[in-house]
Amino acid sequence: MTTPALLPLSGRRLPPLNLGTSSFPHHRATLRLSEKFILLLILSAFITLCFGAFFFLPDSSKHKRFDLGLEDVLIPHVDTSKGGKNLGSFLIHGQGHDEHRHREEEERLRNKIRADHEKALEEAKEKLKKSRDEIQAEIQTEKNKVVQELKKKDSKPLPPVPLPNLIGINSGEPADPDIREKRNKIKEMMKHAWNNYRQYGWGHNELKPIARKGHSTNIFGNSQMGATIVDALDTLYIMGLHDEFREGQEWIDKNLDFSVNSEVSVFEVNIRFIGGLLAAYYLSGQEVFKIKAVQLAGKLLPAFNTPTGIPWAMVNLKSGVGRNWGWASAGSSILAEFGTLHMEFVHLSYLTGDPVYYNKVMHIRKLLQKMDRPNGLYPNYLNPRTGRWGQHHTSVGGLGDSFYEYLLKAWLMSDKMDTEARKMYDDAIEAIEKHLIRKSNGGLTFIGEWKNGHLERKMGHLTCFAGGMFALGADGSRDDKAGHYLQLGAEIAHTCHESYDRTTLKLGPEAFKFDGGVEAVAVRQNEKYYILRPEVIETYWYMWRFTHDPKYRQWGWEAAQAIDKYCRVSGGFSGVKDVYSSSPAYDDVQQSFFLAETLKTRVYLLTWEPSGCL
């Protein structure tokens, strides 16, 4: 057996000593005996030093206290029920005891220290008789006991909650053989992505499909939390890939641990982990998903410990220490992050009976309602210390997007009883339409970004989700404007389709301009990439569900074909760096949301018949 490498105090790792059992057996035995003798000698010297220091200490009877942490012995308990009369007695006892009492206590303590040192010496001798492997095994056993105790502490039984009726999971099988074939193709793409992750990145957060190894980013901290496993669970279940679903469930049950010293994004962990676990629970009814979701939510709660209750962007899962991104407008929290917690946290309170989660997100809403908004718009930055807006930058894309989505879905999730959320959504959409939505010279409707009183005529891929949001929110809109918002959704879908159609790969860029003669085209090199995002196909899906216009299905299928042609590699799927290049370079990342979103509600569900309810 190879001798383990030694780690000296300097922190440098020394090469292992290659001392085989067949070569120099006598020298090896002598070396071990010498090591033990030296350790015993050092230990004996240390104990002698301790005894010497103890007995040569100044006479503690000359001092008012013998402070070895034994105040409970030297200072009697104060009976506060007798009022102030006992206070004087407490002070007298605290100042000192008679000489005889002090000597008795000191002698008792000396005897105790002698006994403890003798016991420690005997234990050290016993340890030195054991091999290094035996000692390491004992240490590992103790560590395992601590871990198991922590898991038992976190695994508190949750109250039973009735599951809602699940409708449409196994229905909606398309009668059209062409649609069935397309559905099977999307399922095959999902299996290709999953199987390669299973082979090359299992347990890691994401996959590098070209390098064929695990991948992670700072949003997940420095730990392997299996983000792809958790994120993909509901897609696996909906597609009927139940063996793969059970693989994921088994890993989560045995390996998903949140008691790690890791700083994570509150927003990303909420939508990918808590959202993924809750979706898996509602689909399958397996308690492990609910338990894990509640455990993780408890780790996120310290992020809300700010002067305003607006949570930090990042939190350490072990220490609970939070902070914000350094680039975010003088330490501000981000609208799309603290505004995208509501649905998951309301469900957590429903499942646990604990209102703490609901109260946290409702406090955020109440605070936002009280604040003045420039031009009725919500800026993307809010300082959690002062409760004031940061830079006046408003976007329906990155930094703002899902805040508006969650307002609408909070209303829908409440069976349209949460009228407060609906009002906030309607107010925000009216301001957005007035200040951000414009039509280009070529007739394309786009949503720009408001920056310090100026409209930037640029639209991001992330913003393309808004077409579906407008269609989803059409029913119940003010002043009987359902038709108007459905049409607005269709116009945004058309613009985003153009951003795909005007590229070489038929995949959309990260952002595109509407300046001069340039429309729906990326100008900067750092905006020409595609990282397997779902937002455009998401809008196609909503528009298909509300209008049944077959062009949306066709657009979704074209996007799926382009992904399969240009993003598929032998080890999975990768983003590309330039959608205008016929031979683009890969970014070598298979995002977890590709399995959770792009291949699920954005492509696979486009093949569901209108009778299906998902």
Side-chain angles (χ1 to χ4, degrees), residues 377-507:
L377 298 170
Y378 287 93
N380 291 335
Y381 301 107
L382 179 61
N383 192 303
R385 292 187 177 91
T386 65
R388 296 177 181 175
W389 297 118
Q391 178 187 0
H392 284 187
H393 172 208
T394 297
S395 169
V396 184
L399 307 180
D401 49 6
S402 46
F403 166 70
Y404 307 102
E405 176 190 5
Y406 268 48
L407 287 176
L408 176 60
K409 290 182 177 178
W411 174 68
L412 292 169
M413 189 176 71
S414 70
D415 199 20
K416 302 182 179 180
M417 299 296 290
D418 188 354
T419 55
E420 184 179 68
R422 178 73 210 209
K423 181 182 183 305
M424 291 177 70
Y425 170 79
D426 287 334
D427 290 344
I429 296 308
E430 287 180 1
I432 287 168
E433 190 169 9
K434 180 178 180 181
H435 297 285
L436 303 186
I437 298 180
R438 296 290 184 269
K439 196 176 287 286
S440 72
N441 294 334
L444 296 178
T445 302
F446 68 94
I447 309 174
E449 297 186 11
W450 190 264
K451 290 186 176 180
N452 296 317
H454 170 72
L455 181 67
E456 185 176 8
R457 298 171 67 87
K458 180 178 76 172
M459 186 170 176
H461 193 291
L462 289 166
T463 317
C464 284
F465 93 97
M469 180 180 72
F470 292 143
L472 183 63
D475 183 30
S477 57
R478 289 174 181 166
D479 304 323
D480 196 25
K481 296 176 69 174
H484 167 74
Y485 285 112
L486 192 61
Q487 177 61 30
L488 181 58
E491 292 176 12
I492 296 298
H494 174 65
T495 297
C496 293
H497 176 257
E498 286 298 306
S499 77
Y500 272 52
D501 202 46
R502 298 180 186 191
T503 70
T504 303
L505 304 186
K506 304 304 178 184
L507 293 170

Side-chain angles (χ1 to χ4, degrees), residues 5 67 108 124 182 216 250 265 275 284 298 306 312 318 322 340 352 383 424 479 501 529 554 583 603:
D67 192 5
R108 186 182 66 81
K182 290 175 179 177
S216 191
E250 182 178 356
S265 163
S284 69
T306 66
W312 299 113
K318 186 173 185 179
T340 309
T352 64
N383 192 303
M424 291 177 70
D479 304 323
D501 202 46
Y529 61 88
Q554 183 59 31
S583 56
V603 180

